[in-house]
Each structure stands twice: as structure tokens, then as C-alpha cells.
Amino acid sequence: DTAVSQTPKYLVTQMGNDKSIKCEQNLGHDTMYWYKQDSKKFLKIMFSYNNKELIINETVPNRFSPKSPDKAHLNLHINSLELGDSAVYFCASSRQLGGNTEAFFGQGTRLTVV
Amino acid sequence: AQSVTQLGSHVSVSEGALVLLRCNYSSSVPPYLFWYVQYPNQGLQLLLKYTTGATLVKGINGFEAEFKKSETSFHLTKPSAHMSDAAEYFCAVSTGGSYIPTFGRGTSLIVHP
């Protein structure tokens, strides 16, 4: 059983389209995250939810909207996709917010905007 | 504020040689420190972490790291590299008051036969 699963694994789409990435964790964790990894492998936090509430919203364009229907799910919807959105997007979860708890990552979604 | 610096974006070793990946952190309060590994086309997974107590921390796959407060370092080592260790390694720092960890820019470990 995959602890943090995200779908799809690969996503190729045209500029201007709207797309969603889904994430589910079966670890019973309270906190979930979305990270963006660029072509140089730099990891940047985008959002963090704790018990379905948005805690962290870094300087991410409004075209990105996270939604957490329950503690186990955190989806990412992206409107009007741009070339610069091409990256690998990782969902992660942790038992609690920050501190000494490690994060568990999904396998990533490689988004390519053409 | 907290930050992490990983020295060397690429480290190349021969199979069987010592692996040393460097990580220095900055934190105004006692830190929690993590090393993660990312294999090609996969997500990150935890190798080891330091929270409190013993400063030498052992992790999976024969890796270990030592927290040195005086040097603000948390270097990752493995006595003998294996081909399967080739991956991207990330150091991260967190504190009791921070919501999310800060990740370093990663070090790519290359293992030559």
C-alpha cells in the first residue's frame, strides 16, 4: 500500500489549459504539503494544510488553488497553464506541522506544458 | 530564520570509497536536522534525522550523520559507496517554531564502478 499517492504521474498539456493533480495519504497524518521541484532539483514549498486548513501559502500565482476535502486528501488545481509551470510537483504529508516530524513524499507528478 | 547550505552540487566517488556529503545550517534556536534521498523519478524518502540526544545518528542503507553544534554542521557519511547509492541527497532543517522545513539545494552523488 502506497503511503502517499498522487495521480497522474505524468501530465503533458498545452498552454492555457486547466489541470488537476490529486493526492491521497493513508498514514493518518494531520498535515499535507505541495512542493514544486524545478529542473535544477530545487524544492520549493507551495502550500501546507493542517487538519484541512490552509496554513502556508507561499508566493504562488493565484492560478494555483489547493483543495483539501478531508485530512487524507490534498488536490492541486492549476488554471491557465504556462510554460514556466513545467516542473515536478510533489505531495507530502507529516504527522504534525513542522518541528521534528519528517515528511513522507509521493512519487511526484511531472508536468510538461507545451 | 533558518537556512541550509549543501557544499557541492555534485560529488563523485568510486564504488567502495567513503561517501561524505556536506551540510551546514543556520538557525537561531536548536535545530532539527534531516537527510533525505531521492532516487531517479521518485519522491524523497527519509534517510535519517536528528532531533535531540545522541549527536551521531544512524540511518538506513548504512548512512550516518553527526550533529556538530560548534560547526553548525550535519554531514552525511557512508564508509563504502555502492552503485545503488547514486541519487540526489537533500539536507533539511526545521525548528520547534517553524511550520515547514527548509531544504538545501541538493547534492547529486555519482558512484563510479
Side-chain angles (χ1 to χ4, degrees):
Chain A
D1 245 1
T2 305
V4 181
S5 59
Q6 51 184 112
T7 55
K9 188 164 183 175
Y10 299 97
L11 188 51
V12 181
T13 187
Q14 291 189 326
M15 276 195 308
N17 283 351
D18 303 338
K19 289 292 177 186
S20 292
I21 307 172
K22 294 187 175 183
C23 179
E24 176 182 5
Q25 55 96 1
N26 62 7
L27 297 166
H29 288 169
D30 285 345
T31 308
M32 295 186 73
Y33 311 84
W34 277 109
Y35 284 88
K36 179 180 180 180
Q37 187 175 48
D38 64 23
S39 58
K40 295 187 177 176
K41 302 282 187 177
F42 179 57
L43 264 175
K44 181 182 173 183
I45 183 72
M46 299 174 70
F47 303 102
S48 176
Y49 270 71
N50 191 54
N51 283 320
K52 298 195 306 174
E53 285 190 29
L54 180 65
I55 299 297
I56 289 163
N57 181 354
E58 292 294 303
T59 49
V60 176
N62 290 339
R63 300 181 294 104
F64 290 79
S65 54
K67 280 191 171 48
S68 182
D70 55 57
K71 267 183 19 173
H73 296 84
L74 180 61
N75 304 323
L76 183 65
H77 188 75
I78 316 169
N79 289 326
S80 304
L81 278 155
E82 300 176 357
L83 292 176
D85 297 332
S86 295
V88 181
Y89 292 84
F90 286 101
C91 177
S93 73
S94 63
R95 186 166 44 86
Q96 62 192 42
L97 203 59
N100 62 356
T101 55
E102 65 268 29
F104 292 75
F105 285 79
Q107 287 216 312
T109 295
R110 183 174 295 276
L111 172 64
T112 304
V113 183
V114 298
Chain B
Q2 60 202 36
S3 66
V4 171
T5 302
Q6 289 185 239
L7 295 174
S9 58
H10 294 83
V11 169
S12 183
V13 299
S14 297
E15 193 172 19
L18 171 73
V19 175
L20 171 61
L21 304 181
R22 298 178 189 275
C23 172
N24 287 90
Y25 70 90
S26 173
S27 174
S28 56
V29 297
Y32 302 120
L33 295 158
F34 307 81
W35 274 101
Y36 289 85
V37 60
Q38 183 182 22
Y39 298 106
N41 297 316
Q42 292 191 27
L44 282 70
Q45 65 182 80
L46 183 72
L47 268 180
L48 49 81
K49 69 177 183 181
Y50 167 79
T51 54
T52 58
T55 55
L56 182 62
V57 181
K58 294 187 186 301
I60 61 172
N61 301 338
F63 283 93
E64 62 182 37
E66 187 170 10
F67 169 57
K68 291 188 177 180
K69 185 179 176 181
S70 61
E71 299 177 8
T72 61
S73 69
F74 191 57
H75 301 331
L76 182 70
T77 60
K78 181 174 180 178
S80 176
H82 193 272
M83 296 295 288
S84 60
D85 294 326
E88 193 82 18
Y89 291 80
F90 293 90
C91 182
V93 62
S94 183
T95 66
S98 63
Y99 283 149
I100 55 167
T102 300
F103 283 86
R105 288 193 162 265
T107 298
S108 179
L109 177 64
I110 302 158
V111 183
H112 298 288

